[in-house]
Amino acid sequence: MDYVGRPLLACMFLVLLLLQWRFPLRRQHFSMLHRLVRNFVLSIPGFAIVRLAMLPIPLAVAMWAQDRHLGLLNWLALPAWAAAISTFLLMDYAYWWWHWANHMIPLFWRFHNVHHTDLDLDVSTAARFHFGEMIFSVGFLSLAVLVFGIAPIMLVVFFITFEAATLFHHSNWRLRIGIERALNMIFVTPRMHGIHHSIVQRETNSNWGTIFCWWDKLHRTLRRDVPQNEIIIGVAAYRDEHELTVGKLLALPFREQHPWRLPTGEEPDRPTRPADELAE
Ligand SMILES: [Zn+2]
């Protein structure tokens, strides 16, 4: 992770930063530099947790489970290629449920809300997580690794891919619509995830996938009907930039939570349109 994973992810971050600057998808409303700095500072405790706990603890669990022959894949003893595919499918599906829980369970939403309050969406949003959410995810990841009996090396490979997918689908990079529609038959793409960051609650409560888009299809939570230029990014009740400083964001989970309403009191909404493929 230290010698391959992190340098690879850092390069990918820089490349996506360049691509979204050169080929922007949604019009940005706030200073890019300002948000980059704010998201970076907010993510520092989170990065420390990833380095000290997020991988070391689940990795220790994976090694322990392998030694004691515990967990689904350790029992099944599949050929290496089948175990690799199973790892990706099981873990990405488990993460779909984890993301769902982060929206549906009020305690978890308090923390995940911080990620969604970003008023523009780009590759720097991929780092904007409250450290409390990271602590909960260490517990979730360790449990998933134990239940599924994920091999240590596969856990590292999955984790790097998972982070790369997170950088990609948060980016504001405009891919040609034909290319993105083809990619979106398998993967979560920037337009698909953009709909998840909308201030319309029905749209936020869709597209919970990270790597593969199939889980949302399975649960009928896949939404592709909203053109990107119609999306307002953020959380309806948290739209004041001055209320979203690093200090206030760190305190946000511990404060009273506002209902999903605009300052005017209305609930943002729009008609749904049937759509089989991603809107432009
Ligand atoms: Zn979310």
Side-chain angles (χ1 to χ4, degrees), residues 99 102-103 109 112 115-116 193 196-197 204 207-208:
H99 192 184
N102 271 290
H103 281 261
W109 170 251
H112 191 57
H115 172 67
H116 276 269
H193 198 71
H196 176 69
H197 277 261
T204 304
N207 301 357
W208 278 306

Side-chain angles (χ1 to χ4, degrees), residues 20-158:
Q20 67 176 24
W21 169 70
R22 190 74 187 77
F23 311 103
L25 174 58
R26 290 165 296 264
R27 201 166 69 79
Q28 304 290 85
H29 299 84
F30 298 87
S31 152
M32 166 73 217
L33 192 67
H34 199 136
R35 286 186 42 258
L36 193 68
V37 172
R38 188 174 284 184
N39 287 347
F40 179 74
V41 174
L42 187 83
S43 74
I44 290 172
F47 273 125
I49 288 167
V50 171
R51 181 68 189 82
L52 299 174
M54 181 72 112
L55 262 192
I57 293 177
L59 259 179
V61 171
M63 287 186 232
W64 183 82
Q66 197 173 46
D67 276 357
R68 284 177 178 62
H69 222 70
L70 291 173
L72 187 65
L73 293 180
N74 286 325
W75 291 329
L76 290 177
L78 300 169
W81 63 269
I85 293 174
S86 306
T87 296
F88 271 77
L89 295 178
L90 290 169
M91 291 302 291
D92 193 52
Y93 187 42
Y95 263 107
W96 183 92
W97 277 106
W98 177 240
H99 192 184
W100 176 88
N102 271 290
H103 281 261
M104 290 302 162
I105 298 174
L107 171 69
F108 292 159
W109 170 251
R110 284 174 173 267
F111 293 89
H112 191 57
N113 190 5
V114 173
H115 172 67
H116 276 269
T117 54
D118 209 349
L119 296 170
D120 279 321
L121 182 65
D122 73 2
V123 67
S124 76
T125 316
R128 180 190 175 105
F129 285 101
H130 193 284
F131 65 86
E133 182 174 345
M134 308 303 267
I135 293 172
F136 290 135
S137 3
V138 175
F140 158 77
L141 185 57
S142 305
L143 187 68
V145 162
L146 180 65
V147 170
F148 297 139
I150 303 297
I153 179 70
M154 279 314 301
L155 174 60
V156 176
V157 173
F158 170 78

Side-chain angles (χ1 to χ4, degrees), residues 263-280:
T264 54
E266 61 174 321
E267 203 177 328
D269 205 0
R270 82 174 105 238
T272 55
R273 296 153 280 207
D276 290 331
E277 49 182 20
L278 207 53
E280 191 154 7

Side-chain angles (χ1 to χ4, degrees), residues 226-252:
V226 194
Q228 296 296 304
N229 59 11
E230 290 182 19
I231 298 175
I232 300 174
I233 299 290
V235 180
Y238 298 86
R239 306 272 314 142
D240 180 358
E241 206 191 0
H242 306 288
E243 291 300 312
L244 300 173
T245 59
V246 172
K248 286 181 178 170
L249 286 172
L250 288 173
L252 191 140

Side-chain angles (χ1 to χ4, degrees), residues 109-224:
W109 170 251
R110 284 174 173 267
F111 293 89
H112 191 57
N113 190 5
V114 173
H115 172 67
H116 276 269
T117 54
D118 209 349
L119 296 170
D120 279 321
L121 182 65
D122 73 2
V123 67
S124 76
T125 316
R128 180 190 175 105
F129 285 101
H130 193 284
F131 65 86
E133 182 174 345
M134 308 303 267
I135 293 172
F136 290 135
S137 3
V138 175
F140 158 77
L141 185 57
S142 305
L143 187 68
V145 162
L146 180 65
V147 170
F148 297 139
I150 303 297
I153 179 70
M154 279 314 301
L155 174 60
V156 176
V157 173
F158 170 78
F159 193 76
I160 294 170
T161 312
F162 182 85
E163 291 298 320
T166 304
L167 289 175
F168 169 64
H169 68 226
H170 282 99
S171 78
N172 194 37
W173 172 27
R174 177 179 291 276
L175 285 142
R176 287 242 312 275
I177 187 68
I179 294 173
E180 185 159 339
R181 279 177 183 154
L183 279 175
N184 192 226
M185 292 201 285
I186 302 174
F187 300 109
V188 176
T189 62
R191 284 178 175 89
M192 176 179 161
H193 198 71
I195 296 172
H196 176 69
H197 277 261
S198 158
I199 63 164
V200 177
Q201 194 172 22
R202 182 165 26 77
E203 291 165 6
T204 304
N205 287 341
S206 60
N207 301 357
W208 278 306
T210 303
I211 300 178
F212 304 117
C213 68
W214 305 319
W215 320 124
D216 282 299
K217 214 167 200 172
L218 183 70
H219 290 272
R220 297 173 178 278
T221 51
L222 181 61
R223 188 171 288 280
R224 315 200 243 215

